[in-house]
Amino acid sequence: MDKWLNHPTIVKLVALGLGILMWAVVHFDPDSTPNNVSSLVETKVINSVKIQPYGLDERSFVLNNLAPQTVKLTVSGSRSDLLAAPESYEVRLDLRTVGEGTHTMKLQYDLPRGIQFVEMTPSSVSVSIQALETKEFEVDITTSGSPAKGYKAGTPIVKPSNRVHVTLPKNEIAEVHRVGALISVEGAKETLKNKSVKLEAFDEAGKVIKNVIIEPAILEVEIPITNPFKTVPLQFRLVGRVPAGLSIESFKPDVEQVTLYGPQEELDKLEFLNVDVQLTNVKNSGKLAVTLQIEAPIIEVSPKQIEISIVVVLSATRSLEGLPIIWNGLGEGLIVKFVEPSTGKADITIQGAPAILDRLQPGDVDVIADLIGRGPGTHTIPLIVNLERFMEQVGGTNSITVEITNDVPAAAPEEEGDEGVVVE
């Protein structure tokens, strides 16, 4: 027995056991339960933890309000775990299944390893979700400043398209009055090409609307800087006639206006551009290309060539009877009398496309006798028949005979006096 107690290993084991026993006696707290050792677990309060929303369908909805935006989070853990944990704790709000309206929603938390959740205040929040609406707008690019002297800024050209889509909460989309940008042309002497501009949405008062989604948000803009120009309408002059037996039913140019370039004082004199259209060789329906002609000092016209769609059909005729003849230009102090025809009415035969003739009414045709410069006497006067384009008179009354006299009242006959009677 003594030999066993004197063994070195036995002595070390006994010493270890006594040490453990003495530590337990010193740290034993009779008032504590086995599951709550205050010296091993600590509590920590984290104020103003920001709530992180996620999962909202941002193509269809917008988070309009979140209240509150922070919470107070209480956690527990060992001192070493609390010290090792990151400073930021995550509190999240799941919006994946939320639709339009106001909702009260529970919050989620994500704690570091070894940290236990104790309490979160508040544990739920109020969210307001609004539906988004998208509307298409035409881009409106405006210019500021003036180009160099003698130059003008043309209409901005937007690429790849002059239409964009604007997205806002549906109760705000009506506030958008226009979408565009402002570009300076001050002192410019040449065309501004491939200029990137960021678009903005404006209300009716011209104020920029914030938090708007514009797609695309950036466009390429080209602003022509040219010599002075003026846009004028085209005036068509028909030269010659289509072959016999044919008539024009419709005549439609692909453009109605053109732009002329030249000295400003010359442009101010022009109200239209004459276009001569040769009809002699028009035998079939189709498109007729016409090169526009200009004269100096006008230096350019745009476009330089136009196309006219012409429909040619077989001619038809129609007779209109009893059209009143209107005279004009009769000199002062003269009166006119119709001799032939005495009725003062004309019968005419008109040729043209059937569709045009069918819609013609007698009141659409004016028959005029021009008496300018005619004095007293009998005159045969050619008639002027005013018809719509692509119609012509092919028969009927071509002239009238009139008698023009002075408008002087006949002299009153002298009163016959009583034969002389001698009264004695």
Side-chain angles (χ1 to χ4, degrees):
M1 183 68 177
D2 292 339
K3 186 177 179 180
W4 180 76
L5 291 175
N6 289 329
H7 194 282
T9 301
I10 298 301
V11 172
K12 291 177 181 180
L13 292 172
V14 172
L16 177 61
L18 291 174
I20 294 173
L21 181 60
M22 291 178 65
W23 181 90
V25 171
V26 171
H27 289 84
F28 177 71
D29 183 0
D31 296 328
S32 300
T33 62
N35 295 326
N36 185 15
V37 181
S38 61
S39 61
L40 297 179
V41 179
E42 295 184 3
T43 300
K44 183 178 181 179
V45 176
I46 307 99
N47 293 305
S48 301
V49 178
K50 188 174 182 179
I51 301 171
Q52 300 178 17
Y54 73 96
L56 182 66
D57 181 3
E58 296 182 350
R59 297 169 300 177
S60 303
F61 301 99
V62 62
L63 176 59
N64 190 49
N65 187 48
L66 169 62
Q69 297 186 4
T70 62
V71 296
K72 181 174 73 173
L73 184 64
T74 303
V75 297
S76 65
S78 67
R79 177 175 297 181
S80 59
D81 286 338
L82 291 173
L83 291 174
E87 289 296 325
S88 58
Y89 287 76
E90 290 189 5
V91 174
R92 299 185 296 165
L93 176 62
D94 186 356
L95 300 176
R96 288 176 295 180
T97 60
V98 178
E100 185 178 17
T102 301
H103 312 273
T104 299
M105 304 190 66
K106 289 289 185 180
L107 296 171
Q108 302 171 343
Y109 53 86
D110 190 5
L111 301 179
R113 185 174 183 179
I115 305 301
Q116 302 298 318
F117 173 79
V118 176
E119 184 182 25
M120 180 167 56
T121 307
S123 60
S124 61
V125 292
S126 174
V127 294
S128 176
I129 305 294
Q130 283 189 328
L132 293 175
E133 183 173 335
T134 299
K135 186 176 179 181
E136 187 178 63
F137 286 85
E138 184 173 352
V139 176
D140 179 22
I141 302 295
T142 56
T143 59
S144 64
S146 300
K149 187 176 180 180
Y151 290 82
K152 283 191 174 183
T155 302
I157 302 169
V158 182
K159 303 175 183 179
S161 170
N162 69 335
R163 305 196 73 84
V164 295
H165 292 89
V166 175
T167 301
L168 275 173
K170 64 181 181 181
N171 63 336
E172 299 178 20
I173 194 72
E175 297 179 11
V176 180
H177 182 66
R178 70 180 187 89
V179 177
L182 180 67
I183 300 178
S184 174
V185 296
E186 183 65 32
K189 294 183 179 180
E190 59 184 19
T191 297
L192 304 179
K193 295 183 178 179
N194 300 326
K195 190 171 183 65
S196 296
V197 296
K198 183 178 181 181
L199 302 177
E200 292 183 304
F202 301 88
D203 62 17
E204 193 169 2
K207 185 178 178 181
V208 176
I209 299 175
K210 302 293 185 181
N211 301 321
V212 61
I213 301 173
I214 303 176
E215 181 62 36
I218 297 177
L219 293 177
E220 298 291 330
V221 178
E222 178 178 313
I223 302 180
I225 304 296
T226 64
N227 287 312
F229 63 89
K230 182 178 182 180
T231 300
V232 297
L234 296 175
Q235 179 169 283
F236 294 95
R237 299 187 300 196
L238 306 181
V239 180
R241 302 171 57 185
V242 295
L246 299 177
S247 294
I248 295 177
E249 183 177 81
S250 67
F251 178 98
K252 185 174 180 57
D254 60 350
V255 296
E256 299 286 347
Q257 296 180 322
V258 294
T259 302
L260 300 175
Y261 298 85
Q264 188 63 55
E265 59 272 16
E266 295 299 324
L267 293 175
D268 292 339
K269 299 176 185 177
L270 296 176
E271 299 299 330
F272 53 83
L273 179 66
N274 283 319
V275 182
D276 291 339
V277 181
Q278 180 59 250
L279 299 180
T280 306
N281 297 322
V282 176
K283 301 177 181 179
N284 302 298
S285 300
K287 291 187 177 181
L288 179 64
V290 178
T291 300
L292 303 182
Q293 303 296 325
I294 55 174
E295 296 181 358
I298 301 302
I299 61 175
E300 188 178 351
V301 60
S302 179
K304 293 181 173 58
Q305 188 179 75
I306 65 171
E307 283 191 341
I308 303 173
S309 297
I310 299 179
V311 176
V312 178
V313 297
L314 293 175
S315 299
T317 58
R318 180 179 175 184
S319 296
L320 298 177
E321 299 179 349
L323 298 177
I325 300 172
I326 304 169
W327 50 262
N328 62 19
L330 183 65
E332 186 177 356
L334 301 175
I335 59 175
V336 63
K337 176 184 177 182
F338 292 105
V339 176
E340 179 61 35
S342 60
T343 60
K345 296 183 178 181
D347 301 331
I348 64 172
T349 301
I350 302 170
Q351 178 178 284
I356 295 178
L357 295 178
D358 287 346
R359 63 173 181 262
L360 185 65
Q361 299 296 324
D364 298 334
V365 180
D366 293 329
V367 181
I368 300 171
D370 188 357
L371 305 181
I372 294 177
R374 308 284 183 174
T378 301
H379 306 275
T380 298
I381 300 172
L383 293 177
I384 302 171
V385 180
N386 290 334
L387 298 170
E388 293 184 17
R389 181 183 284 182
F390 311 127
M391 291 190 297
E392 60 177 334
Q393 182 183 1
V394 294
T397 308
N398 292 311
S399 63
I400 62 169
T401 301
V402 297
E403 181 182 356
I404 299 176
T405 58
N406 289 312
D407 186 14
V408 178
E414 296 182 2
E415 295 182 2
E416 296 183 357
D418 295 333
E419 294 184 359
V421 177
V422 179
V423 179
E424 293 184 353

